[in-house]
Amino acid sequence: MSMNNEFEHIPQEKFQFVQMDAHLHDQRLETKSRTFMQDAMRRFAKNKSSVVATWILAFLVLFSIVSPMLSMYNINDKDKLYINYPSYVPSIAKLGLGIMDGAKVHSSQNDASMDYWAGIAQETGMDPALRVVGEHVTQVKYRGQMVDRKTYDLEVNRYYELGVVYRVFSYAEFEKIQAWQDETGIQVIYPYVDPADINGITDNPNIWYEVDGKGAAQKDKDGNFVPVYSTNKAIEGAEYHSLRVEGDDGSYIYSTAKSGAVQARVCYYNYYIYLNGHEPTYIFGTNSMGQDLFCGVGIGARFSLIFAIIVSAINLTIGAIYGAIQGYYGGKIDLYMDRISDILSGIPFVVVITLFQRHLSQKVGIVPSFLFAFVLTGWIGMAALTRKQFYRFKSQEFVMAARTLGASDGRLMFRHVFPNAIGTIITSCALVIPNVIRSETTITYLGIVDLSSFAGTTIGTLLSQGNAAVTTAPHTLLWPSLFLSLLMISFNLFGNGLRDAFNPTTRGEDD
C-alpha cells in the first residue's frame, strides 16, 4: 500500500520535456523497396536446385544452337561405311588417353586374327590394334589330343579397322586420285590382289599376303608377310603412275578393268580424307545412317525446343482467351464452353496424330498438321487454369471499382484480372514445354510421324535408331537419351522453382 502511495503524488518538478527542441517525424525505412518481380527472382535464387537446372537448361539450349555450327558435317552428310562407329577425334586419339579414340573390343581373337590386324597396320601404316585387354587359354581337341588354345580380347580403332576396301572408279576419277596423291603425299590406291593368287579362298581386300587353306598367314623365314600383289598386266585396268608401296619395282598393277571403269583397292581412311578434305572426326560417333551424332543431337534438340515453344505460345494464347471468357462471364457461357472442352479432351492424342498425318498432312504438309494436332487439344489445360484464376479475381474490390468507373468487359478482363493471373499462367507454361517435348519425342520414336525430311532428324528418331543398335553401339542411344533426360529434369525443376517464386502465398516465408 505504501508503494501505491509513492506514485500517487509525484512532484511537478520531476516532469520535463525530453524532446523540447526536436522536430518529430517518421523514421525513414533503411531497406530498399522491391517490386513483385524482384521479390520473385530473389526467392527463385534461393532455390538451389532450380538455379542449377537453369544453368543446365542454358547450356543445353546453347548446345543446340552451337553444335551444328561447330560440327564438320551437316545432317545430310552420311557415310556408308562409318555406321554406328564410336567417338573419334584424331588429335585426342593420338594422345593415348583412352577417350575419343574410336575404340571397340573384339573378343576371342586368335593368332590368325592378330595377323590380320598386323597386316592392315603393315600395309597402310595405320595400326588398328590399340591394346590387348584380356587373354584366355582354353583346351581344345586337335588331331586326337588336347592342346592349349590362346585367344585375346583386343581393343581396336574402328576407323583404322576398315583398312583397304574395293572401289570402282571411272578412268577420269582414277586419274584425279593419282594427281591428289602426288600433291599431298597420301596414298589412297594400293596394289591390286587377284583372289586367284591367294588360293581363291577369300576376296577380302585386306588379305594381301599368302595364306594357307585355312586362311592363316604364311610368313618367310624372318617372320615377315609374303605379299601376293598381282603383276598380271593382262587384267590391268588403267595406267598407274603415282605413289607405290615399298618394295614395288614397278611390276605391280593397281587396278583391274571393270565394265568400262576400273576397280581398285583403296585405303578407306585416306580415301575419306580425299573426299572430305579432313580426317574423320566424330565427337559423339555416328549413328545407323552414318550421320554425325554431335550434329544430329543438336539439330534434333533445336527442332524440339523451337516446336515446343511455338506450341506452348499458341496454346497459351488460345487457352488464355478461352479461359478468360469462361471465367469472366460464367453461367451458361461457361457451361457450354466447358462441355466443348470436355468433348475435345476425350479424343485420344495418338488417334488425332495418326489421322492428321494420314489425311491433313497431304494437303498442308507434315509439320503444320503435326502442329495442329498438338494445338487441337493442348490449350484445354491452359484454359482451365485461366478460368480458375478469373473466378478467383473477378469479384475483388479493384475489379468492382473499375467496373463502377465504366471500364468495358475487355478492359476488365485483360487490364485488371489477367495481369494478376499471369504469374501462375506463365509458370504453368514453363511446365507445359517439357510435356510437349516428351510427346513429340514419343511420337517420332514410335515412327508414327517421320519429320526427318523437314527437320533433318529429331531426338525421337535418334533414340529409335540407337535402340536398334544398343547392344553393339550403345553410344548411339546414350547421347540422345542423356540430352533428353537432362532437358526433362531441368525443365521440371526450373518450372517448379518459378511456380514457387511467383506464388503469392509463399511471399515473405524466406524473409
Side-chain angles (χ1 to χ4, degrees):
M1 182 174 179
S2 60
M3 184 176 295
N4 292 334
N5 291 335
E6 182 179 350
F7 294 101
E8 286 182 1
H9 305 286
I10 301 175
Q12 185 176 359
E13 59 269 14
K14 295 289 185 180
F15 293 94
Q16 61 179 350
F17 290 100
V18 176
Q19 296 174 317
M20 186 70 175
D21 300 322
H23 295 284
L24 300 180
H25 56 78
D26 293 335
Q27 292 185 351
R28 184 177 181 180
L29 292 173
E30 298 296 333
T31 58
K32 294 183 179 180
S33 61
R34 294 196 301 263
T35 63
F36 175 75
M37 183 61 68
Q38 290 174 332
D39 187 60
M41 290 299 100
R42 181 171 176 269
R43 281 182 282 126
F44 180 83
K46 290 185 177 182
N47 191 331
K48 302 303 180 184
S49 60
S50 296
V51 172
V52 172
T54 303
W55 283 107
I56 295 176
L57 272 180
F59 171 77
L60 295 178
V61 172
L62 182 64
F63 173 83
S64 68
I65 297 172
V66 173
S67 63
M69 301 178 185
L70 296 180
S71 176
M72 295 181 176
Y73 314 91
N74 61 54
I75 200 62
N76 295 318
D77 291 333
K78 301 175 183 179
D79 193 279
K80 295 180 180 179
L81 293 186
Y82 289 155
I83 293 176
N84 289 333
Y85 271 36
S87 170
Y88 180 67
V89 179
S91 58
I92 297 178
K94 292 174 183 177
L95 299 176
L97 302 176
I99 58 174
M100 297 187 179
D101 55 2
K104 180 180 179 179
V105 176
H106 290 299
S107 59
S108 302
Q109 300 294 291
N110 56 24
D111 291 335
S113 299
M114 300 299 284
D115 285 340
Y116 177 80
W117 304 120
I120 294 175
Q122 182 174 323
E123 184 177 38
T124 65
M126 304 173 192
D127 190 357
L130 297 176
R131 60 191 68 87
V132 175
V133 295
E135 295 184 7
H136 309 281
V137 177
T138 56
Q139 292 283 323
V140 296
K141 195 170 186 178
Y142 180 72
R143 293 183 179 180
Q145 296 182 350
M146 299 301 294
V147 296
D148 290 341
R149 181 190 177 193
K150 194 177 218 181
T151 58
Y152 308 90
D153 294 334
L154 183 67
E155 192 173 60
V156 302
N157 181 332
R158 294 215 66 193
Y159 294 84
Y160 291 170
E161 176 187 356
L162 274 177
V164 175
V165 299
Y166 287 121
R167 278 291 180 271
V168 176
F169 304 108
S170 66
Y171 283 89
E173 183 68 13
F174 191 74
E175 184 68 28
K176 186 178 178 181
I177 295 175
Q178 292 185 65
W180 184 83
Q181 288 184 155
D182 295 335
E183 180 183 349
T184 61
I186 300 174
Q187 185 160 0
V188 175
I189 305 171
Y190 281 78
Y192 190 76
V193 176
D194 190 345
D197 295 335
I198 49 175
N199 302 322
I201 62 171
T202 178
D203 60 353
N204 188 327
N206 284 305
I207 304 297
W208 57 273
Y209 45 83
E210 287 187 0
V211 295
D212 60 18
K214 296 182 179 179
Q218 300 296 293
K219 301 178 182 179
D220 60 20
K221 61 181 180 179
D222 296 325
N224 299 319
F225 292 101
V226 180
V228 288
Y229 295 130
S230 179
T231 58
N232 185 2
K233 297 293 184 178
I235 65 172
E236 186 175 17
E239 182 183 355
Y240 185 80
H241 50 75
S242 186
L243 303 178
R244 294 180 177 271
V245 297
E246 184 178 354
D248 182 8
D249 58 1
S251 61
Y252 296 155
I253 66 171
Y254 284 75
S255 66
T256 184
K258 189 80 170 180
S259 302
V262 295
Q263 182 178 12
R265 295 173 67 245
V266 300
C267 173
Y268 191 75
Y269 193 93
N270 291 341
Y271 181 60
Y272 183 96
I273 299 175
Y274 163 75
L275 292 176
N276 298 280
H278 58 81
E279 295 181 82
T281 304
Y282 297 100
I283 298 175
F284 286 175
T286 64
N287 62 4
S288 60
M289 303 293 291
Q291 298 168 313
D292 177 28
L293 269 178
F294 183 73
C295 175
V297 172
I299 291 292
R302 182 186 297 179
F303 172 80
S304 295
L305 288 169
I306 293 175
F307 182 80
I309 291 173
I310 292 175
V311 169
S312 299
I314 294 174
N315 287 338
L316 171 63
T317 303
I318 297 175
I321 296 174
Y322 196 91
I325 296 172
Q326 277 187 280
Y328 182 80
Y329 290 106
K332 290 184 178 181
I333 293 179
D334 181 24
L335 180 63
Y336 294 147
M337 296 179 72
D338 209 29
R339 297 295 74 77
I340 295 174
S341 300
D342 291 342
I343 293 172
L344 291 176
S345 62
I347 303 175
F349 178 68
V350 175
V351 174
V352 174
I353 286 286
T354 304
L355 290 175
F356 280 15
Q357 288 303 304
R358 284 186 174 274
H359 303 287
L360 187 61
S361 63
Q362 299 175 2
K363 298 179 180 179
V364 301
I366 295 177
V367 176
S369 64
F370 193 54
L371 178 65
F372 189 38
F374 273 87
V375 172
L376 180 64
T377 58
W379 55 268
I380 295 176
M382 191 63 64
L385 179 64
T386 306
R387 171 179 174 270
K388 185 191 304 181
Q389 294 299 314
F390 265 73
Y391 268 112
R392 176 183 176 185
F393 289 109
K394 72 176 183 179
S395 299
Q396 297 291 325
E397 289 80 359
F398 64 89
V399 177
M400 297 176 64
R403 182 182 289 112
T404 303
L405 293 173
S408 64
D409 287 345
R411 184 178 180 84
L412 289 173
M413 291 167 63
F414 296 106
R415 293 294 299 274
H416 294 279
V417 180
F418 191 77
N420 287 277
I422 194 67
T424 303
I425 294 172
I426 291 297
T427 54
S428 297
C429 189
L431 294 172
V432 168
I433 292 177
N435 292 332
V436 174
I437 294 175
R438 184 176 63 250
S439 299
E440 174 264 323
T441 302
T442 302
I443 294 299
T444 53
Y445 171 79
L446 295 175
I448 297 174
V449 178
D450 184 9
L451 297 171
S452 298
S453 59
F454 175 82
T457 190
T458 63
I459 295 296
T461 302
L462 293 176
L463 287 172
S464 179
Q465 295 169 350
N467 184 60
V470 66
T471 55
T472 56
H475 72 278
T476 57
L477 186 63
L478 170 65
W479 296 115
S481 60
L482 179 62
F483 184 93
L484 182 64
S485 299
L486 287 175
L487 191 66
M488 292 295 99
I489 294 171
S490 300
F491 252 122
N492 280 288
L493 290 175
F494 173 74
N496 290 336
L498 280 183
R499 181 189 59 198
D500 295 340
F502 281 95
N503 187 355
T505 61
T506 63
R507 190 173 185 180
E509 289 182 1
D510 298 330
D511 296 335

